[in-house]
Coordinates of all heavy atoms in Angstrom, one line a residue:
M1 N 102.5 104.1 89.1 CA 101.1 104.3 89.2 C 100.3 103.0 89.3 O 100.7 102.1 88.5 CB 100.6 105.1 88.0 CG 99.2 105.3 87.9 SD 98.5 106.4 86.6 CE 99.8 106.6 85.4
S2 N 99.3 102.9 90.1 CA 98.6 101.6 90.2 C 97.2 101.9 89.7 O 96.6 102.9 89.9 CB 98.6 101.1 91.6 OG 97.9 102.0 92.4
Y3 N 96.7 100.9 89.1 CA 95.3 101.0 88.6 C 94.4 100.1 89.5 O 94.8 99.0 89.9 CB 95.2 100.5 87.1 CG 95.9 101.4 86.2 CD1 97.2 101.1 85.8 CD2 95.3 102.5 85.7 CE1 97.9 102.0 84.9 CE2 95.9 103.4 84.8 CZ 97.2 103.1 84.4 OH 97.9 103.9 83.6
L4 N 93.2 100.6 89.7 CA 92.2 99.8 90.5 C 91.7 98.7 89.6 O 91.4 98.9 88.4 CB 91.1 100.7 91.0 CG 91.5 101.8 91.9 CD1 90.3 102.6 92.3 CD2 92.1 101.2 93.2
P5 N 91.4 97.5 90.1 CA 90.8 96.5 89.3 C 89.3 96.9 89.1 O 88.7 97.6 89.9 CB 90.8 95.3 90.2 CG 91.0 95.8 91.6 CD 91.7 97.1 91.5
P6 N 88.8 96.6 87.9 CA 87.4 96.9 87.7 C 86.5 96.3 88.7 O 86.7 95.2 89.1 CB 87.2 96.4 86.2 CG 88.2 95.4 86.0 CD 89.4 95.8 86.9
F7 N 85.5 97.0 89.0 CA 84.6 96.5 90.0 C 83.4 95.8 89.3 O 82.5 96.4 88.9 CB 84.0 97.7 90.9 CG 83.1 97.3 92.0 CD1 83.3 96.0 92.6 CD2 82.1 98.1 92.4 CE1 82.5 95.6 93.7 CE2 81.3 97.7 93.5 CZ 81.5 96.5 94.1
V8 N 83.7 94.6 89.0 CA 82.7 93.7 88.3 C 82.2 92.7 89.3 O 83.0 91.9 89.8 CB 83.3 93.1 87.0 CG1 82.3 92.2 86.4 CG2 83.8 94.2 86.1
E9 N 80.9 92.6 89.5 CA 80.4 91.6 90.4 C 79.1 91.1 89.8 O 78.1 91.9 89.6 CB 80.2 92.2 91.7 CG 79.7 91.3 92.8 CD 80.7 90.2 93.0 OE1 81.8 90.4 93.3 OE2 80.2 89.0 92.9
Y10 N 79.1 89.9 89.4 CA 77.9 89.3 88.8 C 76.8 88.9 89.9 O 75.7 88.7 89.6 CB 78.2 88.1 87.9 CG 79.1 88.6 86.8 CD1 80.5 88.3 86.8 CD2 78.6 89.3 85.7 CE1 81.3 88.8 85.7 CE2 79.4 89.7 84.7 CZ 80.7 89.4 84.7 OH 81.5 89.9 83.7
R11 N 77.3 88.8 91.1 CA 76.4 88.4 92.2 C 76.0 89.7 92.9 O 76.1 89.8 94.1 CB 77.1 87.4 93.1 CG 77.5 86.2 92.4 CD 78.4 85.3 93.4 NE 79.7 86.0 93.4 CZ 80.4 86.3 94.5 NH1 79.8 86.0 95.7 NH2 81.6 86.8 94.5
A12 N 75.5 90.7 92.2 CA 75.2 92.0 92.8 C 74.3 91.9 94.0 O 74.5 92.7 95.0 CB 74.6 92.9 91.8
N13 N 73.4 91.0 94.1 CA 72.5 90.9 95.2 C 73.3 90.3 96.4 O 72.7 90.3 97.5 CB 71.3 90.1 94.9 CG 71.7 88.7 94.4 OD1 72.8 88.4 94.1 ND2 70.7 87.8 94.4
K14 N 74.5 89.9 96.3 CA 75.2 89.3 97.4 C 76.4 90.2 97.9 O 77.1 89.8 98.8 CB 75.8 87.9 97.0 CG 74.8 86.9 96.7 CD 75.4 85.6 96.4 CE 74.3 84.5 96.1 NZ 74.9 83.2 95.8
I15 N 76.5 91.4 97.3 CA 77.6 92.3 97.8 C 77.1 93.0 99.0 O 76.0 93.5 99.1 CB 77.9 93.3 96.7 CG1 78.4 92.7 95.5 CG2 78.9 94.4 97.2 CD1 78.7 93.6 94.3
S16 N 77.9 92.9 100.1 CA 77.5 93.5 101.3 C 77.7 95.0 101.3 O 78.4 95.6 100.4 CB 78.3 92.9 102.5 OG 79.6 93.4 102.4
D17 N 77.0 95.7 102.2 CA 77.2 97.2 102.2 C 78.6 97.5 102.6 O 79.2 98.5 102.1 CB 76.2 97.8 103.3 CG 74.8 97.7 102.9 OD1 74.5 97.6 101.7 OD2 73.9 97.8 103.8
Y18 N 79.2 96.7 103.4 CA 80.6 96.9 103.8 C 81.5 96.9 102.5 O 82.4 97.8 102.4 CB 81.1 95.9 104.8 CG 82.5 96.0 105.2 CD1 82.9 97.0 106.1 CD2 83.5 95.2 104.6 CE1 84.3 97.2 106.4 CE2 84.8 95.3 105.0 CZ 85.2 96.3 105.9 OH 86.5 96.5 106.2
D19 N 81.3 95.9 101.7 CA 82.1 95.8 100.4 C 82.0 97.0 99.5 O 82.9 97.5 99.0 CB 81.8 94.6 99.7 CG 82.2 93.3 100.4 OD1 83.2 93.4 101.2 OD2 81.6 92.2 100.2
I20 N 80.7 97.5 99.4 CA 80.5 98.7 98.6 C 81.1 99.9 99.2 O 81.8 100.7 98.5 CB 79.0 98.9 98.5 CG1 78.3 97.8 97.6 CG2 78.6 100.2 97.8 CD1 76.9 97.7 97.6
I21 N 81.0 100.1 100.5 CA 81.7 101.2 101.2 C 83.2 101.2 101.0 O 83.8 102.2 100.7 CB 81.3 101.3 102.7 CG1 79.8 101.6 102.8 CG2 82.2 102.3 103.4 CD1 79.3 101.4 104.2
Q22 N 83.8 100.0 101.2 CA 85.2 99.9 101.0 C 85.7 100.1 99.6 O 86.7 100.8 99.4 CB 85.7 98.5 101.5 CG 85.6 98.2 103.0 CD 86.3 99.3 103.8 OE1 87.5 99.6 103.5 NE2 85.6 99.9 104.7
S23 N 84.9 99.7 98.6 CA 85.2 99.9 97.3 C 85.1 101.4 96.9 O 86.0 102.0 96.2 CB 84.2 99.2 96.4 OG 84.4 99.5 95.0
S24 N 84.1 102.1 97.5 CA 84.0 103.6 97.2 C 85.2 104.3 97.9 O 85.7 105.3 97.3 CB 82.7 104.1 97.7 OG 82.5 104.0 99.1
I25 N 85.6 103.9 99.0 CA 86.7 104.5 99.7 C 88.0 104.4 98.9 O 88.7 105.3 98.6 CB 86.9 104.0 101.1 CG1 85.8 104.4 102.0 CG2 88.3 104.4 101.7 CD1 85.8 103.7 103.4
R26 N 88.2 103.2 98.4 CA 89.4 103.0 97.5 C 89.3 103.8 96.2 O 90.3 104.4 95.8 CB 89.5 101.5 97.1 CG 90.0 100.6 98.3 CD 90.4 99.2 97.8 NE 89.4 98.5 97.0 CZ 88.4 97.8 97.5 NH1 88.2 97.7 98.8 NH2 87.5 97.3 96.7
Y27 N 88.1 103.9 95.7 CA 87.9 104.7 94.4 C 88.2 106.1 94.7 O 89.0 106.8 93.9 CB 86.5 104.5 93.9 CG 86.2 105.3 92.7 CD1 86.7 105.1 91.5 CD2 85.3 106.4 92.8 CE1 86.5 105.8 90.4 CE2 85.1 107.2 91.8 CZ 85.6 106.9 90.5 OH 85.3 107.7 89.4
V28 N 87.7 106.7 95.8 CA 87.9 108.1 96.1 C 89.4 108.4 96.3 O 90.0 109.4 95.8 CB 87.1 108.6 97.2 CG1 87.5 110.0 97.7 CG2 85.6 108.6 96.9
K29 N 90.1 107.5 97.0 CA 91.5 107.7 97.2 C 92.3 107.7 95.9 O 93.2 108.4 95.7 CB 92.1 106.5 98.1 CG 91.8 106.7 99.6 CD 92.4 105.6 100.4 CE 92.0 105.8 101.9 NZ 92.6 104.6 102.7
H30 N 91.8 106.8 95.0 CA 92.5 106.7 93.7 C 92.3 107.9 92.9 O 93.3 108.5 92.4 CB 91.9 105.5 93.0 CG 92.5 105.3 91.6 ND1 93.8 104.9 91.4 CD2 91.9 105.5 90.4 CE1 94.0 104.8 90.1 NE2 92.9 105.2 89.5
I31 N 91.1 108.4 92.8 CA 90.9 109.6 91.9 C 91.3 110.9 92.5 O 91.5 111.9 91.8 CB 89.4 109.7 91.5 CG1 88.5 110.0 92.7 CG2 88.9 108.5 90.7 CD1 87.0 110.3 92.4
A32 N 91.5 110.9 93.9 CA 92.0 112.1 94.5 C 93.6 112.2 94.5 O 94.1 113.2 94.9 CB 91.6 112.1 96.0
N33 N 94.2 111.2 93.9 CA 95.7 111.2 93.8 C 96.1 112.2 92.8 O 95.8 112.1 91.6 CB 96.1 109.8 93.4 CG 97.6 109.7 93.3 OD1 98.3 110.7 93.4 ND2 98.1 108.5 93.0
T34 N 96.8 113.3 93.2 CA 97.1 114.4 92.3 C 98.1 113.9 91.3 O 98.2 114.6 90.2 CB 97.7 115.5 93.1 OG1 98.8 115.1 93.9 CG2 96.7 116.1 94.1
E35 N 98.9 112.9 91.5 CA 99.9 112.4 90.6 C 99.2 111.9 89.3 O 99.9 111.7 88.3 CB 100.8 111.4 91.2 CG 101.7 111.9 92.2 CD 102.8 112.8 91.6 OE1 103.2 112.6 90.4 OE2 103.1 113.8 92.2
L36 N 97.9 111.6 89.3 CA 97.2 111.1 88.1 C 97.0 112.3 87.2 O 96.7 112.0 86.0 CB 95.9 110.5 88.5 CG 96.0 109.2 89.3 CD1 94.7 108.7 89.7 CD2 96.8 108.1 88.5
N37 N 97.1 113.5 87.6 CA 96.9 114.7 86.8 C 98.2 115.0 86.0 O 99.2 115.2 86.6 CB 96.5 115.9 87.6 CG 96.2 117.1 86.8 OD1 96.7 117.3 85.7 ND2 95.4 118.0 87.4
P38 N 98.2 114.9 84.7 CA 99.4 115.0 83.9 C 100.1 116.4 84.1 O 101.3 116.5 84.2 CB 99.0 114.8 82.5 CG 97.7 114.2 82.5 CD 97.0 114.5 83.8
K39 N 99.3 117.4 84.3 CA 99.9 118.7 84.5 C 100.6 118.8 85.9 O 101.7 119.3 85.9 CB 98.8 119.8 84.5 CG 98.2 120.0 83.2 CD 97.1 121.1 83.2 CE 96.5 121.2 81.8 NZ 95.4 122.2 81.9
I40 N 100.1 118.2 86.9 CA 100.7 118.2 88.2 C 102.0 117.3 88.1 O 103.0 117.6 88.7 CB 99.7 117.8 89.3 CG1 98.7 118.9 89.5 CG2 100.5 117.5 90.6 CD1 97.6 118.5 90.4
R41 N 101.8 116.2 87.5 CA 103.0 115.3 87.3 C 104.1 116.0 86.6 O 105.3 115.9 87.0 CB 102.5 114.0 86.5 CG 103.0 112.8 87.1 CD 102.1 111.7 86.8 NE 102.8 110.7 85.9 CZ 102.2 109.9 85.1 NH1 100.9 109.9 85.0 NH2 102.9 109.1 84.4
L42 N 103.8 116.7 85.6 CA 104.9 117.4 84.8 C 105.5 118.5 85.7 O 106.7 118.7 85.7 CB 104.3 118.0 83.5 CG 105.3 118.9 82.7 CD1 106.4 118.0 82.2 CD2 104.5 119.5 81.6
R43 N 104.7 119.2 86.4 CA 105.2 120.3 87.3 C 106.1 119.7 88.4 O 107.2 120.2 88.6 CB 104.0 121.0 88.0 CG 104.4 122.1 88.9 CD 103.4 122.6 89.8 NE 103.1 121.5 90.8 CZ 102.0 121.3 91.5 NH1 101.0 122.2 91.4 NH2 101.9 120.3 92.4
N44 N 105.7 118.6 89.0 CA 106.6 117.9 90.0 C 107.9 117.5 89.3 O 109.0 117.5 89.9 CB 105.9 116.8 90.7 CG 104.7 117.3 91.5 OD1 104.7 118.5 91.9 ND2 103.8 116.4 91.9
Y45 N 107.8 116.9 88.1 CA 109.0 116.4 87.4 C 110.0 117.6 87.2 O 111.2 117.5 87.4 CB 108.6 115.7 86.2 CG 109.8 115.3 85.3 CD1 110.6 114.2 85.8 CD2 110.1 115.9 84.1 CE1 111.7 113.8 85.0 CE2 111.1 115.4 83.4 CZ 111.9 114.4 83.8 OH 113.0 114.0 83.1
L46 N 109.4 118.7 86.7 CA 110.2 119.9 86.4 C 110.9 120.4 87.7 O 112.0 120.9 87.6 CB 109.4 121.0 85.7 CG 108.9 120.6 84.3 CD1 108.0 121.6 83.7 CD2 110.1 120.3 83.4
K47 N 110.2 120.4 88.8 CA 110.7 120.8 90.1 C 111.9 119.9 90.4 O 113.0 120.4 90.9 CB 109.7 120.7 91.2 CG 108.7 121.9 91.2 CD 107.8 121.7 92.4 CE 106.7 122.7 92.4 NZ 105.8 122.5 93.6
Q48 N 111.8 118.6 90.2 CA 112.9 117.7 90.5 C 114.1 118.0 89.6 O 115.2 118.0 90.1 CB 112.5 116.3 90.3 CG 111.5 115.7 91.4 CD 111.0 114.3 91.1 OE1 111.3 113.8 90.0 NE2 110.4 113.7 92.0
L49 N 113.8 118.3 88.4 CA 114.9 118.6 87.4 C 115.6 119.9 87.9 O 116.9 120.0 87.8 CB 114.4 118.8 86.0 CG 114.1 117.5 85.3 CD1 113.6 117.8 83.9 CD2 115.3 116.6 85.2
A50 N 114.9 120.9 88.3 CA 115.4 122.2 88.8 C 116.3 121.9 90.0 O 117.4 122.5 90.0 CB 114.3 123.1 89.1
V51 N 115.9 121.1 90.9 CA 116.7 120.8 92.1 C 118.0 120.1 91.7 O 119.1 120.5 92.2 CB 115.9 120.0 93.1 CG1 116.8 119.4 94.2 CG2 114.8 120.7 93.7
L52 N 117.9 119.2 90.7 CA 119.1 118.5 90.3 C 120.1 119.5 89.6 O 121.3 119.4 89.7 CB 118.7 117.3 89.4 CG 118.1 116.1 90.0 CD1 117.7 115.1 89.0 CD2 119.0 115.5 91.0
N53 N 119.5 120.4 88.8 CA 120.4 121.3 88.1 C 121.0 122.3 89.0 O 122.1 122.8 88.8 CB 119.6 122.1 87.0 CG 119.2 121.2 85.8 OD1 120.0 120.3 85.5 ND2 118.2 121.5 85.1
M54 N 120.4 122.6 90.1 CA 121.0 123.5 91.1 C 122.2 122.9 91.8 O 123.1 123.5 92.2 CB 119.9 123.9 92.2 CG 118.9 124.8 91.7 SD 117.7 125.1 93.0 CE 117.5 126.9 92.9
R55 N 122.1 121.6 92.0 CA 123.2 120.8 92.6 C 124.5 120.8 91.8 O 125.6 120.7 92.2 CB 122.8 119.4 93.0 CG 121.7 119.4 94.1 CD 121.4 117.9 94.3 NE 120.3 117.9 95.3 CZ 119.7 116.8 95.6 NH1 120.0 115.6 95.1 NH2 118.7 116.8 96.5
N56 N 124.3 120.8 90.4 CA 125.4 120.7 89.5 C 126.1 122.1 89.3 O 126.1 123.1 89.3 CB 125.0 120.1 88.2 CG 124.6 118.7 88.4 OD1 125.1 118.0 89.3 ND2 123.8 118.2 87.5

């Protein structure tokens, strides 16, 4: 899992619109990652375990 660096900018009046748009795109991609949801992560892990148990 990767964490986004905090968006801290002390020169706020110098941030371009492009930088803000790119930051928002990265943020949305990050929060839309289903693997960040612990319930979904557990479900996927249990599925992997079930597949491994079927092989044995």
Side-chain angles (χ1 to χ4, degrees):
M1 176 175 12
S2 64
Y3 293 95
L4 295 177
F7 186 30
V8 177
E9 183 62 54
Y10 297 103
R11 301 169 285 129
N13 59 345
K14 294 182 181 180
I15 297 174
S16 70
D17 289 342
Y18 178 79
D19 291 334
I20 293 172
I21 291 169
Q22 291 304 311
S23 174
S24 64
I25 290 170
R26 286 190 310 272
Y27 175 71
V28 169
K29 283 182 182 178
H30 177 72
I31 64 171
N33 182 354
T34 58
E35 288 293 322
L36 295 176
N37 183 336
K39 291 179 183 177
I40 292 175
R41 223 153 116 204
L42 177 62
R43 184 195 67 201
N44 292 344
Y45 177 69
L46 293 175
K47 281 182 185 179
Q48 288 176 350
L49 284 178
V51 168
L52 290 175
N53 286 334
M54 292 176 130
R55 291 181 185 171
N56 292 334

